[in-house]
Amino acid sequence: MNKIIEENKDFINSTWDKLDKKLKLVSERSKNKIPYTTRDGVHNNMADEDITWWTNGFWAGLMWLMYVGTKDEHYKSVAERAEEMLDKAFEKYDTLHHDVGFMWYISSGVNYRLFGGEKSRLRTIYAANMLASRYNPAGKFIRSWNGDHVGWVIIDSMMNIPLLYWASKEHNDNRYKYIAENHADTVLGTHIRADGSVNHIVNLNPENGEVIETFGGQGYEVGSSWSRGQSWAIYGFVLSYIHTGKREYLDAAKRVAHYFIANVSETGYVSRVDFRSPDEPVLIDTTASACAACGLIEIANSVGEYEKNLYLGAAIKILKALEEKYCDWTDKEDSILGMGTEAYNCHESGRHVPIIYGDYYFAEAIYKLKGNDMLFW
Ligand code: GLY
């Protein structure tokens, strides 16, 4: 066993047990919901509020993580219920978007990969076809936005394209993979800066893919460094490396990881919302840290023995900081990880709140450290 894993075995096992204990209880009381956040400690329900919301796959994904890690059938039934509820989103086809990867690859996609059910296969293929249909062959990118924003591409898109790598294998048809790789190549050139920081939004010329302008997006300002965007890049690029074997994707993930680790080491391994923003107000985003930890673990799994521990050690420091300071293990609060932030300039209601993908990525990181090797993305 790896030395760092060995040294942190108690932390990993006890955190997994706490996840299981709390999620058994919460999944029972939230079994008819698709949560995004909590209000007065109680999960809200996006099935009523906005069924097409981009985060609506994370609850099912979280249930599948717990199912794979425990084999408890209760988690399976809650995941399947959420997957069925999500079908209503397909009826709103015209408001769906590029985040169909986030929505279906870890819900119906995991169900299909585990059990091979036809309905789950169709849902996942339908989502992959929607994502592929957004590809611009002249610009070599998948458009992120709907409406007039034909050339807008966000770094978050890197987390949607594993759905396309899967679709290529499933259909034995490399067109999906070509789209994913062309998109990743474009984003590598347009979003990842030389110093390892990342643009959130780039407007590309739809005729040739050239950069027109960049935007700060969910970060502080143009040219700043939105921490969750860095996390999407770390995890997204290492995933593209895992699916394609293209070394430049691993190098990109490592470059952003180095920048991320350098920044969080200054703030106790919990990310500020933007690494290039004023010291006050102190705004943090635990979700960025949790997602980055997943990417760092996959980088550690992808590099040689003598560089592994840089990434694994940072991931564990992040997870320990999150667990010590921001996890709520009581039964009074439906969420686990607090202090997530939607965006630097968002409304007060989106600052320092629990967000479902915080719980999801925190659990996924611990699931990985436990030695579960099924890759969800
Ligand atoms: N994908 C949108 C976000 O990270 O908030």
Side-chain angles (χ1 to χ4, degrees):
M1 187 188 281
N2 172 281
K3 190 165 153 275
I4 294 191
I5 300 280
E6 179 71 38
E7 284 167 2
N8 290 283
K9 217 169 49 200
D10 290 348
F11 164 73
I12 296 165
N13 289 337
S14 66
T15 306
W16 179 260
D17 291 346
K18 286 193 260 188
L19 282 164
D20 185 29
K21 183 160 177 260
K22 173 139 181 181
L23 285 169
K24 271 203 174 77
L25 182 94
V26 172
S27 60
E28 179 54 34
R29 58 192 191 210
S30 295
K31 67 185 176 197
N32 293 316
K33 296 180 182 176
I34 298 182
Y36 171 65
T37 186
T38 61
R39 300 194 182 119
D40 297 324
V42 178
H43 271 150
N44 75 325
N45 186 5
M46 296 308 282
D48 295 336
E49 293 177 32
D50 179 1
I51 193 61
T52 61
W53 185 236
W54 73 277
T55 64
N56 285 351
F58 284 109
W59 176 243
L62 179 59
M63 295 297 106
W64 284 123
L65 285 170
M66 298 313 296
Y67 171 76
V68 176
T70 63
K71 294 294 174 299
D72 184 330
E73 291 286 322
H74 169 72
Y75 291 124
K76 176 171 185 273
S77 72
V78 181
E80 286 176 340
R81 198 180 303 217
E83 179 183 329
E84 278 163 25
M85 284 195 275
L86 211 46
D87 281 349
K88 280 252 173 283
F90 285 131
E91 292 169 18
K92 302 200 171 187
Y93 175 79
D94 57 343
T95 45
L96 277 171
H97 38 66
H98 77 141
D99 284 329
V100 291
F102 279 115
M103 289 174 75
W104 278 283
Y105 195 42
I106 54 167
S107 57
S108 60
V110 172
N111 193 353
Y112 175 66
R113 282 176 281 156
L114 287 170
F115 299 106
E118 183 57 11
K119 274 192 169 166
S120 295
R121 188 184 75 87
L122 285 176
R123 288 174 179 123
T124 319
I125 282 291
Y126 191 21
N129 283 331
M130 272 191 262
L131 186 56
S133 75
R134 303 178 70 90
Y135 182 63
N136 176 331
K140 291 194 170 27
F141 63 84
I142 297 167
R143 62 179 291 176
S144 300
W145 249 262
N146 293 347
D148 288 342
H149 299 309
V150 282
W152 285 32
V153 176
I154 60 176
I155 188 65
D156 326 29
S157 61
M158 289 302 297
M159 291 300 294
N160 283 313
I161 61 176
L163 174 65
L164 300 178
Y165 296 124
W166 166 82
S168 262
K169 287 206 189 101
E170 182 64 22
H171 275 329
N172 197 17
D173 177 348
N174 275 347
R175 286 175 307 147
Y176 298 93
K177 180 171 166 272
Y178 299 145
I179 290 174
E181 280 187 24
N182 286 349
H183 181 78
D185 291 343
T186 298
V187 170
L188 182 50
T190 53
H191 287 63
I192 311 295
R193 304 185 191 121
D195 64 359
S197 69
V198 173
N199 287 312
H200 183 201
I201 306 176
V202 183
N203 183 16
L204 300 174
N205 184 332
E207 304 301 326
N208 56 23
E210 282 171 12
V211 174
I212 297 173
E213 63 186 320
T214 67
F215 302 103
Q218 284 163 258
Y220 175 62
E221 63 179 3
V222 176
S224 72
S225 174
W226 176 49
S227 59
R228 197 162 61 250
Q230 323 300 296
S231 308
W232 295 141
I234 295 169
Y235 201 9
F237 272 102
V238 71
L239 287 167
S240 270
Y241 168 71
I242 292 167
H243 289 292
T244 65
K246 283 174 81 171
R247 177 79 205 192
E248 56 267 40
Y249 299 155
L250 177 60
D251 288 340
K254 286 170 70 174
R255 184 146 46 103
V256 184
H258 301 156
Y259 176 83
F260 191 96
I261 294 168
N263 273 281
V264 293
S265 66
E266 292 299 307
T267 52
Y269 287 89
V270 178
S271 337
R272 298 158 66 202
V273 175
D274 193 309
F275 294 136
R276 288 182 191 160
S277 59
D279 289 343
E280 300 286 340
V282 178
L283 286 182
I284 66 166
D285 179 22
T286 55
T287 72
S289 306
C291 172
C294 290
L296 292 170
I297 295 167
E298 290 305 335
I299 295 176
N301 291 338
S302 304
V303 298
E305 191 188 340
Y306 302 121
E307 51 176 337
K308 218 181 249 319
N309 288 348
L310 168 66
Y311 306 100
L312 203 49
I316 289 179
K317 282 186 189 137
I318 287 171
L319 294 166
K320 280 185 151 169
L322 294 179
E323 203 278 323
E324 272 164 27
K325 294 190 198 135
Y326 301 115
C327 282
D328 184 329
W329 300 114
T330 70
D331 60 6
K332 292 184 183 59
E333 162 69 48
D334 281 347
S335 68
I336 294 170
L337 189 61
M339 299 292 275
T341 295
E342 287 172 353
Y344 192 93
N345 294 307
C346 72
H347 186 266
E348 197 62 41
S349 62
R351 283 184 178 173
H352 294 173
V353 291
I355 314 180
I356 189 66
Y357 44 83
D359 284 5
Y360 173 86
Y361 286 109
F362 181 78
E364 188 186 300
I366 301 292
Y367 156 100
K368 288 178 192 294
L369 294 176
K370 280 280 287 177
N372 295 292
D373 56 11
M374 176 180 171
L375 185 63
F376 269 44
W377 300 92

